[in-house]
Amino acid sequence: FPNQYTEQEAKKLGVVGWVKNTSQGTVTGQVQGPEEKVNAMKSWLSKVGSPSSRIDKTNFSNEKEISKLDFSDFNTRY
């Protein structure tokens, strides 16, 4: 379960949201939290990832400021 590492990192950093593996062999998800914590998570996703992952590229889109969080924790969707 490679996404368990993503969940652990998100919880350690204090961000909320979700992550999901796609049928194309990629990962999609949503991260919310204070900007500096979201940026730390983006850096981890771009450079580290789970031990069994291979990171070819990352693409972060639809970034925006929000007034309240839509999620209360971080989890893996199936």
Side-chain angles (χ1 to χ4, degrees):
F1 301 98
N3 286 332
Q4 77 183 18
Y5 295 97
T6 305
E7 275 189 50
Q8 289 172 352
E9 187 66 17
K11 290 175 182 181
K12 183 176 93 173
L13 291 172
V15 294
V16 297
W18 57 272
V19 66
K20 178 181 180 178
N21 292 327
T22 71
S23 59
Q24 293 84 21
T26 63
V27 178
T28 188
Q30 187 170 2
V31 177
Q32 296 180 351
E35 184 176 8
E36 68 277 0
K37 292 182 178 187
V38 170
N39 286 339
M41 186 67 184
K42 288 167 54 178
S43 178
W44 184 86
L45 289 166
S46 298
K47 298 174 182 158
V48 182
S50 67
S52 62
S53 66
R54 186 184 87 222
I55 303 167
D56 294 326
K57 73 175 188 169
T58 54
N59 178 28
F60 301 102
S61 60
N62 300 325
E63 295 186 53
K64 61 184 177 186
E65 286 192 27
I66 57 174
S67 58
K68 77 177 192 76
L69 301 174
D70 297 321
F71 307 100
S72 59
D73 62 359
F74 196 95
N75 58 52
T76 300
R77 294 184 176 179
Y78 298 96

